[in-house]
Amino acid sequence: MSSLAAGGIRVALERAMRSYRSSGALLVLSGSITGAALAVAGSRVVDAPALVAAMLLGGAAAGAAAAFAIPLKPHDAPKRVTVAVKPVELERFVLRRWLTAAILLGIVIVTLLVRFWHFNDVGYNSDEAVYAGQGAGIAHDPQLAPYFPVFRAHPLLFQSVVAIGYELHQGDWFGRAAAICFGALCVLATFELGRLLYGVRVGLIAAAVLAVMPYHVIVSRQVLLDGPQAFFTIVTLCLLVRFARSGRTLWLCCAAAGMGLSVLAKEPSVIFCGAVYAFFALTPEIRVSLRALLLSLAVLAITIVPYPLALALSGQTGTGGNFLAWQLIRRPNHSLDFYLTVVPTSIGLAVCALAALSLLARANRRRWSWRETLVACWIGVPVAFLELWPVKGFQYLLPVAPVIAVLAADGVVIASRAIARTHRIPVVRARAVLVVALLATLVVPTYAAVAPSPRVTFLAGKGGVPGGRETGRFIRAHVPVGARMLAIGPSMANILEFYGHRRAYGLSVSPNRLHRNPIYQAVANPDLSLRRGDIQYIVWDAYSARRSAHFERHLRSYVSRYRGRAVYTYSVPVRARDGALVRFPLIIVYAVRP
């Protein structure tokens, strides 16, 4: 009788624990959504951005951790083992788990070392200055808030995290450090994605590939929204895989919450909703009930709604619409082959080849399943959309890089088996050689990208701008308060305002609202403003001069006409054609007189 009672108590406790874990996961998920809402909407309503951002990080991290802890559906759960496990087998299992944890820890350490190495030697570029300036505006920084309004073009999830640095008076390096932490989290999420799709071995290889991939290293070292966006999209994909494996509505709601957080990181993440739709349309074996679909859409809407709510509360409802309209009608900034020539070389040609090998091998062997359909849609839909979109940023495809790394890792496993059969060598040896060779193809370009160098980078998104920080500090120390400057374009103007704390305008900003970014302010008549003395300084830079020769000539004509005198020059040593070492000017500040 006592044994029966004990058995009943044990069954009751197991049921209670299952109910507790599911309800607890729902509560933590709701907390993560609430934290995101407070982080975005509270940036203006609540005067405590550090507290709000801390709530966001805690809620999102706890929500993701709880989501991965939810048990599978009963019919998908592993069968109960009735045969006693031998001590040797148990010891091997525990040893493998500890070895996996040790390798993953080593990968994370390498990830952080590669990204933190000389990460703040070069000053911000234009986009970094804007996002860091928004974080300073959220923190009500008195020096930067007048130049960078909080609401410009994108949601404020990551900017709320950057605001913590300005609350602690450590904003100059904190923004990049936060971006690097998101990059490390993305590496962990990539391991989880590979593990869910193809096993622990593929997950470890994928994490190692992403840890030293030049594309991910370059972007995740900058104060850009694409790094956090990539992290949240990969978490969303992991949750979607869990739903496809179990069929539980809770996993689909968690995926919707993850998608909402990725949209709050950067609104183009909504493109991946099209990838999810394409996946469900092309995979009839994955059934989604109408109730589950409506519930997940409600969760997605609740997660995203704080951003338009914050815009409404601040009276800036037209900001996002104006920026979107300008993006739709603006001229393309790159050719159609940009994503086919520039981005694959940064991801790694060997990585792309192995990823293609994985898909082709599974298609030829008739092993194509919903997994391959999911990753193909996750890559194909955003690539096709961004290829047709007129604006092509270097960093825009970062959310698909972890998926490519997972496919490349699976390609390594497939190729190693084929090599082992052909040359009659152990699979482990063939796989180790392939992994080392693949990582070697990535380490060299990654080192070239992060090593300290006076090189000049003209492609937006590839790194900081040498000389921008130094020029801004000179302006802040020697240019009178209230002075105004004229630069060739708005990119350098943003950097000068961030580091110099003086108002700067871009000559290339069109007075016609239909032909310019609505965020920037144009100078209607630069010649008249210079003649009246409204603008006292002109700043020439090599980056903008290369992109816009027309406005560079106009700026030089103003320097000549108004007796410009160079008061500061930032130059770097370069090799001339004859091999001599000469100084090449990157930025020149002219004082002009009417």
Side-chain angles (χ1 to χ4, degrees):
M1 191 70 178
S2 60
S3 61
L4 291 176
I9 294 174
R10 185 174 65 253
V11 172
L13 287 175
E14 289 178 355
R15 290 178 179 176
M17 285 299 297
R18 284 198 297 267
S19 176
Y20 170 76
R21 292 179 70 185
S22 298
S23 60
L26 283 173
L27 289 174
V28 176
L29 178 62
S30 302
S32 66
I33 296 173
T34 304
L38 290 175
V40 181
S43 62
R44 278 296 186 185
V45 180
V46 183
D47 190 12
L51 176 62
V52 171
M55 292 174 62
L56 165 68
L57 288 178
F68 287 115
I70 301 175
L72 295 175
K73 207 172 183 179
H75 61 75
D76 278 341
K79 296 182 179 180
R80 183 174 298 175
V81 179
T82 56
V83 181
V85 180
K86 296 180 180 180
V88 177
E89 295 177 353
L90 182 61
E91 183 178 346
R92 290 176 181 174
F93 174 75
V94 173
L95 181 61
R96 282 198 300 268
R97 297 199 67 173
W98 277 106
L99 181 61
T100 300
I103 295 175
L104 190 59
L105 178 61
I107 292 173
V108 172
I109 292 174
V110 171
T111 300
L112 295 175
L113 288 177
V114 170
R115 285 157 178 77
F116 272 110
W117 190 47
H118 297 283
F119 75 106
N120 204 34
D121 285 359
V122 181
Y124 287 169
N125 57 38
S126 177
D127 290 341
E128 289 184 288
V130 169
Y131 299 138
Q134 285 182 284
I138 294 173
H140 303 284
D141 184 273
Q143 294 181 322
L144 291 174
Y147 305 101
F148 295 95
V150 173
F151 295 100
R152 291 174 69 99
H154 301 292
L156 304 173
L157 189 150
F158 181 56
Q159 294 90 319
S160 300
V161 177
V162 176
I164 299 176
Y166 289 96
E167 283 286 330
L168 302 175
H169 306 288
Q170 302 293 331
D172 191 31
W173 64 270
F174 185 89
R176 284 180 173 171
I180 291 172
C181 291
F182 272 106
L185 290 175
C186 189
V187 170
L188 291 175
T190 302
F191 162 76
E192 181 65 14
L193 178 63
R195 186 189 69 84
L196 290 173
L197 289 176
Y198 301 116
V200 174
R201 185 180 295 114
V202 170
L204 290 174
I205 298 174
V209 169
L210 193 69
V212 295
M213 180 186 292
Y215 189 43
H216 193 267
V217 171
I218 291 171
V219 178
S220 62
R221 282 164 52 97
Q222 303 176 60
V223 187
L224 299 176
L225 307 183
D226 306 88
Q229 177 198 14
F231 166 67
F232 286 117
T233 53
I234 296 304
V235 169
T236 302
L237 185 55
C238 291
L239 296 170
L240 196 60
V241 171
R242 292 254 178 175
F243 167 74
R245 291 174 55 179
S246 66
R248 298 192 65 183
T249 302
L250 183 60
W251 286 118
L252 188 61
C253 293
C254 292
M259 180 68 72
L261 290 174
S262 65
V263 172
L264 289 181
K266 193 173 184 181
E267 75 281 3
S269 298
V270 74
I271 301 171
F272 291 94
C273 292
V276 175
Y277 172 79
F279 166 65
F280 287 143
L282 297 174
T283 316
E285 64 267 25
I286 305 296
R287 297 182 179 181
V288 184
S289 65
L290 180 61
R291 174 180 173 275
L293 181 62
L294 294 177
L295 189 59
S296 61
L297 290 177
V299 172
L300 177 63
I302 292 173
T303 311
I304 295 176
V305 76
Y307 180 59
L309 177 63
L311 289 175
L313 291 174
S314 64
Q316 300 290 330
T317 53
T319 300
N322 294 337
F323 183 77
L324 178 61
W326 174 72
Q327 292 281 55
L328 289 172
I329 64 176
R330 65 174 291 186
R331 291 184 300 176
N333 59 342
H334 292 291
S335 60
L336 288 175
D337 63 345
F338 177 76
Y339 286 130
L340 300 177
T341 57
V342 177
V343 174
T345 57
S346 296
I347 293 176
L349 296 179
V351 173
C352 296
L354 287 169
L357 172 66
S358 171
L359 294 178
L360 291 175
R362 291 185 176 274
N364 291 334
R365 297 177 184 179
R366 296 182 180 180
R367 296 176 59 189
W368 190 282
S369 65
W370 61 264
R371 295 173 174 81
E372 287 71 39
T373 303
L374 177 59
V375 295
C377 291
W378 205 262
I379 296 174
V381 170
V383 169
F385 180 87
L386 292 173
E387 183 65 27
L388 298 176
W389 189 260
V391 183
K392 293 175 174 59
F394 170 77
Q395 68 274 23
Y396 289 176
L397 286 178
L398 188 69
V400 306
V403 184
I404 296 175
V406 170
L407 288 176
D410 183 56
V412 167
V413 174
I414 294 174
S416 61
R417 290 172 182 169
I419 293 174
R421 286 195 302 266
T422 303
H423 297 279
R424 297 182 180 180
I425 60 176
V427 178
V428 176
R429 183 184 304 173
R431 186 168 55 244
V433 172
L434 278 180
V435 170
V436 172
L438 178 61
L439 296 180
T441 63
L442 301 175
V443 168
V444 175
T446 297
Y447 174 79
V450 302
S453 171
R455 64 186 183 280
V456 180
T457 301
F458 292 100
L459 183 59
K462 271 207 167 185
V465 175
R469 177 193 291 160
E470 293 78 4
T471 303
R473 289 175 176 174
F474 168 84
I475 290 172
R476 187 169 53 186
H478 298 90
V479 171
V481 177
R484 299 182 180 183
M485 300 171 290
L486 182 66
I488 298 176
S491 297
M492 181 54 62
N494 288 331
I495 297 172
L496 297 176
E497 287 183 341
F498 183 83
Y499 287 113
H501 302 167
R502 304 292 186 271
R503 182 65 65 186
Y505 303 97
L507 181 62
S508 63
V509 177
S510 173
N512 189 339
R513 290 181 177 270
L514 298 177
H515 298 158
R516 65 176 172 89
N517 189 329
I519 299 170
Y520 298 130
Q521 182 179 353
V523 181
N525 193 332
D527 191 74
L528 180 62
S529 298
L530 288 165
R531 193 181 310 124
R532 289 178 175 177
D534 296 334
I535 296 176
Q536 300 85 19
Y537 291 87
I538 291 178
V539 181
W540 175 93
D541 68 284
Y543 317 102
S544 304
R546 181 170 179 176
R547 290 195 302 263
S548 180
H550 170 75
F551 290 103
E552 192 263 348
R553 288 194 298 269
H554 276 279
L555 191 83
R556 285 192 177 276
S557 68
Y558 292 142
V559 172
S560 176
R561 188 181 311 168
Y562 293 100
R563 295 169 289 176
R565 177 175 56 89
V567 295
Y568 178 81
T569 301
Y570 182 87
S571 59
V572 294
V574 296
R575 287 286 179 186
R577 292 183 178 179
D578 58 358
L581 199 64
V582 297
R583 304 291 300 186
F584 179 77
L586 294 181
I587 304 174
I588 304 176
V589 180
Y590 295 95
V592 294
R593 292 181 295 172

